[in-house]
Amino acid sequence: MKLTTTSGNPIADNQNALTAGERGGVMLQDYQLIEKLAHQNRERIPERTVHAKGSAAYGVLEITHDISRYTKAKVLQKGEKTRLILRFSTVAGEAGAADAERDVRGFAIKFYTREGNWDLVGNNTPVFFLKDPYKFPDFIHTQKRNPRSHLRSNEAAWDFWSLSPETLHQVTILMSDRGIPASYRQMNGYGSHTYSLINEAGERFWVKFHFKTRQGIKTLTNDEAATIIAADRESHQRDLYENIEAGNFPSWDMKIQIMTDEQAKKLPYSPFDLTKVWSHADFPLIDVGVLTLNENPKNYFNEVEQAAFSPSNIVPGIGFSPDRMLQARIFSYPDAQRYRIGTHYAQLSVNRPISEVGTYTLGGAMNDGSYDVSAQAYYEPNSFGGAKEAPEFSEPALELSGEMKRYNHRELDDDYYSQPRALFGIMNEAQKQQLFSNIAQSMAGVSEFIIERALGHFEKISPEYAAGVRAALGR
């Protein structure tokens, strides 16, 4: 049976998004990509399709260092203090899932800046499983329930991972000792994607955002997590809420990595590949400021469930990049909010910017009338004093080249093993043994041929890696 669209049209390539050149952005005409992402956002009612179980708190970002050479964004100028809400979450579990499960953790921040909302939507890992958004709905299906048995499936997870070697870096992190944080306070956060910073001179710099916990990293073993879950499925929520109520405000050091466009062009791999990190030796961390959480929400539903984050929300001086996953999320996240919450979700108090809003997006459900619009200026352009475009905020042009086609991202860069190898190489013996044990436990019920395929990848990372997992599997 051939793969088709829902209208029966055959799909020639279900692996690679249509891009403008090898490192260019995705094309809006890629209908099947849009269809897959839009459909995924409508697969669950009403909880989030991913990141359903979450906790949040308000706080402040204080900029303590001068990075004005890189960006004109007011929120990132030295001395600036900006209110924010930070939502932590698990990724795969439903709204009733236990907090202490082995999973990636979401780390989504909404900054209420003077220039509009800036949302930085990331995780507690610097990389992700995928680099092409075409495979995101497929990947999430493997983390959710089998539609026949309604059970989570180790088989589906490992089948997908072993057929998609670009996942190995994130899989190694997930199965390591850092796969289960002891609390949201005791883990790092990352913007993960590559973004851009633009300074007053119109110069663009590529950037990665890091948030290093001041509470220290603390993690749980599978056995420790199982004991906690048996007694308290809301362990992370309880820890965050109670610490803030007691005045024990958690904080993180905000840092960035900077890469020039010339450096990006000389890099042996794409700097926009979400499965890879930038070397700290080549691109060292630069201090920016401190993020502190100091206030619990008053109403969980209004302020946490209805909080709507999207990487499409940026401010002057901060921009996007050709990161394929980021470009797809620019569409997918607000589309999810329109479906999950409603057309005018941005008017809800938790999502409303503190800056003035000038928009002609007025019709539709949930418009509370808070937008100040002239009865004669409900379109643009107009002659009646309505909001006008501001060309002074235009970004510098980004040079792109290459043919428009579906580039095979696995052929463009088939180095799936060097970065997981480097990560494995810095683990001590106890961490390696925990990695082996965690992988073996996660393979319970997985078919032999899938296990052998995965072991083949581990062998290419390191013979020690493969041998350790084999031993943990008892073979």
Side-chain angles (χ1 to χ4, degrees), residues 13-234:
D13 186 340
N14 193 46
Q15 308 302 316
N16 307 288
L18 189 65
T19 62
E22 291 183 7
R23 296 188 177 186
V26 297
M27 308 302 296
L28 186 60
Q29 75 179 58
D30 193 346
Y31 167 76
Q32 182 62 6
L33 169 62
I34 302 300
E35 175 68 16
K36 289 175 73 172
L37 293 173
H39 181 80
Q40 181 190 23
N41 284 336
R42 292 160 175 81
E43 287 182 345
R44 301 289 186 276
I45 301 173
E47 68 180 33
R48 288 169 169 87
T49 307
V50 290
H51 298 276
K53 178 71 179 291
S55 304
Y58 294 102
V60 62
L61 173 67
E62 180 178 2
I63 305 302
T64 55
H65 290 72
D66 184 1
I67 61 166
S68 58
R69 62 177 293 194
Y70 303 119
T71 182
K72 62 184 179 182
K74 293 178 181 178
V75 64
L76 295 179
Q77 300 308 307
K78 185 176 180 180
E80 190 77 6
K81 294 182 180 179
T82 304
R83 191 167 187 260
L84 61 92
I85 185 169
L86 195 165
R87 184 178 186 268
F88 305 96
S89 58
T90 51
V91 175
E94 299 90 354
D99 288 348
E101 294 181 351
R102 183 170 298 278
D103 198 356
V104 176
R105 300 302 193 274
F107 197 96
I109 316 170
K110 183 182 293 293
F111 300 96
Y112 303 101
T113 90
R114 292 184 288 149
E115 300 178 289
N117 288 350
W118 170 37
D119 290 1
L120 190 60
V121 182
N123 289 319
N124 70 323
T125 58
V127 297
F128 192 62
F129 296 93
L130 306 170
K131 56 183 174 180
D132 193 307
Y134 226 55
K135 303 312 299 174
F136 186 64
D138 297 310
F139 165 65
I140 293 301
H141 285 167
T142 74
Q143 303 300 297
K144 295 295 185 176
R145 296 179 181 273
N146 182 305
R148 182 179 181 184
S149 67
H150 200 57
L151 298 173
R152 298 279 291 277
S153 172
N154 291 341
E155 175 109 322
W158 279 105
D159 188 34
F160 184 91
W161 289 339
S162 62
L163 288 169
S164 310
E166 66 270 20
T167 65
L168 290 169
H169 196 177
Q170 178 75 309
V171 168
T172 300
I173 297 174
L174 176 62
M175 295 298 166
S176 75
D177 59 320
R178 295 203 178 189
I180 312 180
S183 74
Y184 289 134
R185 297 179 303 112
Q186 294 162 308
M187 68 180 196
N188 292 337
Y190 301 88
S192 301
H193 292 291
T194 300
Y195 291 88
S196 57
L197 295 180
I198 300 166
N199 65 17
E200 288 286 1
E203 298 172 307
R204 176 185 282 108
F205 300 86
W206 304 120
V207 63
K208 294 273 196 181
F209 293 99
H210 301 248
F211 297 87
K212 301 292 188 179
T213 177
R214 287 187 164 187
Q215 290 68 239
I217 296 288
K218 186 177 180 182
T219 60
L220 302 172
T221 65
N222 283 350
D223 289 344
E224 290 170 337
T227 299
I228 291 171
I229 291 171
D232 185 1
R233 297 178 64 81
E234 275 61 63

Side-chain angles (χ1 to χ4, degrees), residues 313-356:
N313 294 332
I314 56 169
V315 294
I318 301 173
F320 307 126
S321 82
D323 180 334
R324 297 182 185 186
M325 291 293 292
L326 172 61
Q327 295 221 332
R329 283 173 169 159
I330 290 168
F331 158 76
S332 184
Y333 275 60
D335 185 56
Q337 313 302 356
R338 286 187 288 269
Y339 165 69
R340 189 177 66 87
I341 304 174
T343 306
H344 288 286
Y345 65 88
Q347 292 187 29
L348 296 171
S349 59
V350 69
N351 302 318
R352 186 176 298 176
I354 62 173
S355 59
E356 182 182 19

Side-chain angles (χ1 to χ4, degrees), residues 343-344 347 359-365 367 371-374 377-379:
T343 306
H344 288 286
Q347 292 187 29
T359 181
Y360 298 98
T361 306
L362 302 173
N367 188 340
Y371 292 156
D372 182 16
V373 59
S374 166
Y378 52 89
Y379 53 89

